[in-house]
Amino acid sequence: MLNAMDAMRRGTRLVYSRGLRRYVFLPILINLLVYAAMFGYVLSEFGGWLESWMAMVPGWLSWLEWLIWPLFVVSLVLIVFFSFTLVTHLIAAPFYGFLAARAEVELTGREPLDDRGWLKTGVDALGREMVKLAYILPRMIALFIFSWIPVLNLVAPLLWAMFTAWVMAITYLDYPMDNNKVSFRDMRQRLSARWWPSLSFGGLVTLVTWIPLANLFLLPGAVAGAVLMWDQHYRQLPAVTHQKGRS
């Protein structure tokens, strides 16, 4: 965890230095607009959603209303959190890919292995985000359903915490790995091989994402921090899959 914190600290200082700020401020501005729109929409619709949800509760369960209401609120917060996170990362992906490449040069003195041009890199970054979504969404839905199964749902908070940390690790550590021609499957297996650095870094990023508004300014530092984590923990691992494609 200390290693992850140091990577975040150094990464955040780097991304706001001259030469890298241009990769940060445009996605921040776009994400601020998305943040404001989503927050306003949730506030305006929350009352109606709550009434509709409670109307679906059978009369014989009305005595559990004290428990169902907070479960609904927690579920809504989780859904909004994941939705906002996925949308903002989809928007920022091309910028963060360029930011990770530039940060790798500044932090390690090495150019990434990526030999694509700017346009193809941006387009491929969006495609890579779709691959991430295809991996994350089914597991998120399965975990959401699991959270409503009596008795088993007692461990749901722990599973959500681990899953969120894993998702954040995949999201950010993928930027430097994609820039170095590591396939999506290979990337996941490298993260599994170094599961503790992966979860500790992902857990730290998760904590940062829960800081309202400030997260928009801190998360670019996680991109540069991921470059440091890649260089220290994953670069030297042998490729464990051999594919023609990279995703």
Side-chain angles (χ1 to χ4, degrees), residues 183-197:
S183 72
F184 186 72
R185 181 178 298 180
D186 191 356
M187 180 269 297
R188 296 199 326 265
Q189 293 178 322
R190 289 180 190 231
L191 296 190
S192 297
R194 294 287 188 269
W195 64 270
W196 177 246

Side-chain angles (χ1 to χ4, degrees), residues 3-209:
N3 184 239
M5 292 175 65
D6 182 63
M8 282 285 293
R9 178 187 63 82
R10 292 176 60 189
T12 302
R13 289 181 60 185
L14 176 66
V15 297
Y16 290 102
S17 62
R18 288 187 63 182
L20 277 80
R21 287 192 291 257
R22 56 183 172 177
Y23 301 110
V24 174
F25 288 130
L26 183 57
I28 285 178
L29 176 60
I30 296 173
N31 289 339
L32 274 173
L33 297 176
V34 174
Y35 189 98
M38 183 173 290
F39 186 71
Y41 179 72
V42 170
L43 284 182
S44 65
E45 299 293 332
F46 180 80
W49 289 340
L50 181 59
E51 290 180 6
S52 299
W53 182 270
M54 297 308 299
M56 295 169 58
V57 178
W60 60 276
L61 285 179
S62 58
W63 62 279
L64 281 178
E65 185 172 323
W66 63 273
L67 177 61
I68 295 173
W69 188 88
L71 282 176
F72 169 77
V73 173
V74 171
S75 300
L76 180 61
V77 168
L78 287 171
I79 291 172
V80 170
F81 166 74
F82 272 102
S83 299
F84 174 74
T85 300
L86 294 174
V87 169
T88 54
H89 284 108
L90 182 63
I91 294 172
F95 300 97
Y96 284 170
F98 299 140
L99 176 61
R102 182 62 182 169
E104 186 165 351
V105 175
E106 295 290 334
L107 292 169
T108 70
R110 291 189 297 265
E111 293 278 352
L113 298 178
D114 188 12
D115 53 3
R116 298 168 294 178
W118 277 63
L119 180 59
K120 183 168 175 52
T121 298
V123 172
D124 287 353
L126 294 176
R128 187 85 163 200
E129 291 302 308
M130 294 295 102
V131 174
K132 292 180 192 176
L133 286 177
Y135 173 83
I136 294 169
L137 288 179
R139 290 162 176 79
M140 184 180 73
I141 293 170
L143 185 53
F144 179 78
I145 295 172
F146 180 88
S147 300
W148 289 90
I149 301 175
V151 181
L152 295 179
N153 60 6
L154 294 176
V155 299
L158 176 61
L159 295 179
W160 271 111
M162 294 180 64
F163 176 71
T164 306
W166 179 246
V167 167
M168 290 296 103
I170 285 177
T171 299
Y172 284 89
L173 289 165
D174 185 53
Y175 292 123
M177 294 203 200
D178 185 32
N179 285 341
N180 285 277
K181 299 184 177 182
V182 177
S183 72
F184 186 72
R185 181 178 298 180
D186 191 356
M187 180 269 297
R188 296 199 326 265
Q189 293 178 322
R190 289 180 190 231
L191 296 190
S192 297
R194 294 287 188 269
W195 64 270
W196 177 246
S198 302
L199 289 181
S200 61
F201 181 74
L204 180 61
V205 176
T206 300
L207 293 177
V208 170
T209 63

